[in-house]
Amino acid sequence: MNSLKVLFDRDTWQEIFGSISKNKTRTVITVIGVLWGIFIYIALSGAAKGLDNGFERQFENIAMNSMFIWAQRTSIPYEGFKIGRRIDLKITDIEKLKQRVPEIQYIAPRNAKGVFGGAAPTVTRNNKSSNYNVYGDYPVYTKIATKKIYEKGRFINDEDIRLNRKVCVIGERTQKELFKKDEEPVGQYVRIDNIYFQVIGVHKYVPGGGFESDGDIFIPFTTFRKLYNTGNNVDWFTIAAFDDVDVVAVEKEIKQTLKKIHTVAPEDERAIGGFNLGEVFNKIVGFSKGMTLLSLIVGIATIIAGVIGIGNILLISVKERTKELGVRRALGATPSEVRNQIVLESVFLTTIAGIMGIVLGALVLFGINMFTQDMTDFPYTNPTVPIPFVLSALFIMVFLGTLIGLIPAQRAVSIKPIDALREE
Amino acid sequence: MIKIQNLHKSYKMGNSSLHVLKGINFNVEEGELVAIMGSSGSGKSTLLNILGMLDNADEGDYILDNVPIKNLNETKAAKYRNQFLGFVFQSFNLINYKTALENVSLPLYYQGVSRKERQESALNYLEKVGLKDWATHLPSELSGGQKQRVAIARAMASQPKVLLADEPTGALDTKTSYEVMELIQQINEEGKTILVVTHELDIAKMCKRVVTLKDGVIVKDEKIDQILASKHV
């Protein structure tokens, strides 16, 4: 109760402010120590968060726990089949996979022309023509990898699949190259390998989505199949597992199931290929978690170093002020009043330094953000420090400031006033 | 006002102990101006420290304004010092980063007096010592005599029962010394009890009573005819 009164007494602060502001060099040196600590803490944890956000943005248009599965030639002879047999994934594999691997949430078969070898189809409109990669897709694909479609347009839907409609979603670049600037492409026709397709949408290109580009054309899977006579063959599956499953295990299970379906030796590593985005993503998440932890440890350690610096300097200052403190006590200052003053000086300095450090750190983060905003391929977005982090840092500082201030305060009151006065 | 009986004090110096005060008996009535004289090592400063509650006696009684001063902890001693005593030191002991006014109001701060009253009262005492115009100056901007007058104003500010001055003129030249003594005499005339420790005879002669210490005992205690400092100035 009494100490609280002291805390809110204007005179207390006048005394503290007086002694702090009249010893400017000491104050500045002290403040810099803690300021630096909290600055490092804020800048580091903000940067780590920025990196975290940046990675998340890089993967935002594709499900985190997704993978690509494709077929290659066998590397082991099996059940009378020779080595090097070519395996083709079939559209019928989907049902079997869904049955045997319940962890699969979405599975989208895909065929492509011009992506992995082979000439990209020629796409013509009026007298303009160019070559673009063409994909045969199911609507479910957008559940795994988000496709942003510009206004007025849409992605392929179930009706397109059912009726083998000759419709297509074109890319931004395709639009730019085949259409005039103010022309509305939706509803217009383009010729893909001499077959007319109606444009139903333009997709916005988002960087970081693997091998896709801003010129890609998506058509219904069933139309693709007819157009290029691919039958039941599927170039690859894009598969998304449920959120809480082990994606590495799911990938293994899927591969084993496919090997069984296509009569491939279970130990054949080459026949079924795969790229596990979830695994990569988990590694990145682990990395950025490590970064956050590291920045937390480094930051707090620096803060502690700074606070110890404050204690050190206050200790020296108490020695310097021995006589002053002796005079104060001769004039009637009780030991607890002297102790309070020293501790409050410590806390006040720490807090001021901390706030300055936070502001400085925030400014630096803001600067970095401004600087990296236009760099889309640099994984660094919106570096922020969560408020609880900031508050806990402040709390730690006040706490440590009190603790460390107690050492010089105790020293100050342990000297008898008579000895303090005798000191020259 | 002050009653001292059979006061003993010794200091430990390594293995041997130094017996500084060997049974002091003396009383001071209200309104007295007492000089405590003696060569260095006679125990006069030790006596003053005990009177000022800055040091504890080993043996004997000390009663200040009917309050026995014994077994004080630091907090209580601080309260009593603040309440009963005003200190004037040889080296002034002003706080160098505080203005004259702030220095004078410091004991009032520790008494818990409100800010406004503190300022008013401190300014009053500064006026009394003739330094009202110097209120906002730092000690480094004042002369030695001015500093000691600020220190006296500070000692008076808490309205103590007794003013204890330890060699108040020790760091001053003769002319300034007499000016300071004139101020002390003037305060004494207003009824304040004052004890002055000094080893200068001319300063002692400006008091009303001289107590001489030698080797830890009082060898002489006599009332004298006070010489007014104003006659020298």
Side-chain angles (χ1 to χ4, degrees), chain A residues 15 323-324 328-329 331, chain B residues 81-82 93 97-98 110:
Chain A
E15 275 297 310
K323 191 149 194 194
E324 177 203 323
R328 282 174 183 272
R329 285 172 70 185
L331 294 178
Chain B
R81 278 198 291 268
N82 189 266
N93 282 344
Y97 60 81
K98 286 181 174 293
Y110 288 120

Side-chain angles (χ1 to χ4, degrees), chain B residues 117-128:
Chain B
E117 276 178 66
R118 227 156 60 208
Q119 298 256 354
E120 258 170 43
S121 176
L123 206 60
N124 249 336
Y125 281 103
L126 272 180
E127 193 176 13
K128 222 172 197 169

Side-chain angles (χ1 to χ4, degrees), chain B residues 10-146:
Chain B
S10 49
Y11 289 108
K12 279 221 157 62
M13 311 280 269
N15 289 332
S16 61
S17 104
L18 192 66
H19 206 167
V20 184
L21 296 180
K22 302 166 181 167
I24 303 280
N25 294 293
F26 98 125
N27 298 328
V28 179
E29 300 303 319
E30 189 165 358
E32 276 197 279
L33 174 54
V34 184
I36 299 173
M37 278 203 74
S39 53
S40 59
S42 61
K44 59 187 193 307
S45 286
T46 307
L47 179 61
L48 196 79
N49 285 334
I50 291 171
L51 289 174
M53 298 176 221
L54 293 169
D55 211 344
N56 294 319
D58 296 337
E59 210 179 292
D61 299 319
Y62 170 24
I63 294 165
L64 176 63
D65 197 28
N66 296 324
V67 179
I69 307 299
K70 200 148 201 185
N71 300 328
L72 296 179
N73 62 24
E74 260 306 318
T75 308
K76 198 130 197 200
K79 287 239 167 76
Y80 280 174
R81 278 198 291 268
N82 189 266
Q83 204 179 329
F84 290 132
L85 303 169
F87 287 93
V88 177
F89 303 95
Q90 179 177 359
S91 50
F92 323 128
N93 282 344
L94 298 176
I95 292 171
N96 56 22
Y97 60 81
K98 286 181 174 293
T99 64
L101 186 74
E102 285 168 341
N103 264 292
V104 174
S105 57
L106 201 59
L108 296 172
Y109 166 69
Y110 288 120
Q111 269 182 358
V113 175
S114 83
R115 182 171 184 75
K116 214 179 142 208
E117 276 178 66
R118 227 156 60 208
Q119 298 256 354
E120 258 170 43
S121 176
L123 206 60
N124 249 336
Y125 281 103
L126 272 180
E127 193 176 13
K128 222 172 197 169
V129 300
L131 289 172
K132 196 183 179 186
D133 297 338
W134 297 81
T136 57
H137 287 249
L138 291 174
S140 57
E141 296 160 346
L142 302 175
S143 73
Q146 285 173 324

Side-chain angles (χ1 to χ4, degrees), chain A residues 251-269:
Chain A
E251 183 193 0
K252 232 177 227 166
E253 223 178 314
I254 289 169
K255 281 183 175 171
Q256 287 307 326
T257 310
L258 285 172
K259 282 175 196 167
K260 209 175 265 172
I261 296 168
H262 295 281
T263 333
V264 175
E267 65 273 22
D268 192 336
E269 289 296 326

Side-chain angles (χ1 to χ4, degrees), chain A residues 83-95:
Chain A
I83 188 171
R85 178 170 57 103
R86 195 192 148 82
I87 305 293
D88 282 315
L89 295 177
K90 300 287 180 190
I91 195 92
T92 47
D93 295 345
I94 294 176
E95 276 315 306

